[in-house]
Amino acid sequence: MQMGLDFNLVEDLVAGVDEVGRGPLCGAVVTAAVILDPQRPILGLNDSKKLTEARREKLFDEICEKALSFCIARAEVEEIDELNILHATMLAMQRAVEGLSVTPKLALIDGNRCPKLSVPAAPVVKGDSQVPAIAAASILAKVTRDREMAVFELMYPGYGIGGHKGYPTPVHLEALARLGPTPIHRRSFAPVRAAYEAQGALSNGFAEV
């Protein structure tokens, strides 16, 4: 039994792929791939940044329940520093698509470039506001990363991570200069590198917080 999938539905096996966390100074970059089920539509899908936190949380659960397949993947801080943020993001997207339990016929990637995949892929600029599957992926990725930032807020108090989510806001930059970098900060990003240099920590491991 194959859940009643016919040829037309198989042709609809399109994975939407998106990422969250390219710009922050700390934490992983998180990606998601989602294949929606045409038989179980989800109302209100949109670019995750245009939705309230409460709406994202509700849609997160609905996507996980109704999608034909989804996978949330990531590239860690160490990989970002080793590869650079672009290549780390491509790696995380690749992991998300490869982690799907259903092989898509096509992967639509938010943005202007695609990772190397074993299935056909195409970039879609501003895809998270145009393609429902990409919007769903953006929601899964953002909710996942935001939850991680809430945990880091407790682990590393004083940086305001729960509020700015790791982005280089004035609050974050001031705390970085005053307290020094943490193990979750990206050493390859200029403000973090500058903070290490200011504390003489580049050759001495992570600064203590």
Side-chain angles (χ1 to χ4, degrees):
M1 186 70 178
Q2 296 188 11
M3 301 172 59
L5 293 179
D6 59 20
F7 181 76
N8 289 329
L9 182 54
V10 170
E11 286 300 293
D12 288 334
L13 292 178
V14 174
V17 184
D18 202 1
E19 55 75 26
V20 172
R22 285 183 63 172
L25 304 179
C26 64
V29 58
V30 178
T31 60
V34 179
I35 302 175
L36 295 175
D37 184 349
Q39 306 302 316
R40 305 183 73 190
I42 300 172
L43 301 179
L45 291 175
N46 199 349
D47 175 4
S48 62
K49 296 184 293 295
K50 298 179 181 178
L51 301 171
T52 65
E53 181 179 357
R55 184 64 180 145
R56 286 195 300 267
E57 288 282 350
K58 185 175 180 179
L59 283 169
F60 181 97
D61 293 337
E62 189 173 0
I63 294 164
C64 292
E65 177 191 350
K66 292 183 176 180
L68 280 176
S69 182
F70 71 90
C71 179
I72 300 168
R74 59 202 292 112
E76 302 294 350
V77 171
E78 295 79 8
E79 293 174 308
I80 293 169
D81 287 340
E82 180 181 351
L83 300 173
N84 77 40
I85 185 60
L86 174 61
H87 288 97
T89 300
M90 294 295 108
L91 175 61
M93 286 183 168
Q94 184 182 60
R95 288 169 173 165
V97 175
E98 290 178 350
L100 291 168
S101 61
V102 177
T103 302
K105 297 296 181 182
L106 173 68
L108 296 179
I109 316 296
D110 185 58
N112 59 8
R113 64 184 70 201
C114 295
K116 293 181 179 179
L117 300 173
S118 59
V119 298
V124 183
V125 175
K126 296 184 179 179
D128 47 11
S129 59
Q130 302 181 61
V131 180
I134 296 179
S138 78
I139 291 167
L140 294 192
K142 181 163 178 56
V143 170
T144 298
R145 193 176 191 282
D146 284 357
R147 289 173 178 176
E148 292 178 6
M149 294 299 105
V151 173
F152 287 144
E153 170 77 16
L154 301 176
M155 293 176 62
Y156 304 104
Y159 292 84
I161 295 172
H164 54 63
K165 315 301 186 191
Y167 284 90
T169 63
V171 168
H172 192 183
L173 293 174
E174 186 278 329
L176 189 61
R178 176 168 46 89
L179 300 172
T182 72
I184 64 166
H185 277 94
R186 302 172 180 177
R187 293 180 175 220
S188 56
F189 279 44
V192 180
R193 189 167 61 247
Y196 272 113
E197 291 171 349
Q199 296 199 358
L202 267 179
S203 59
N204 297 317
F206 291 116
E208 293 182 359
V209 296

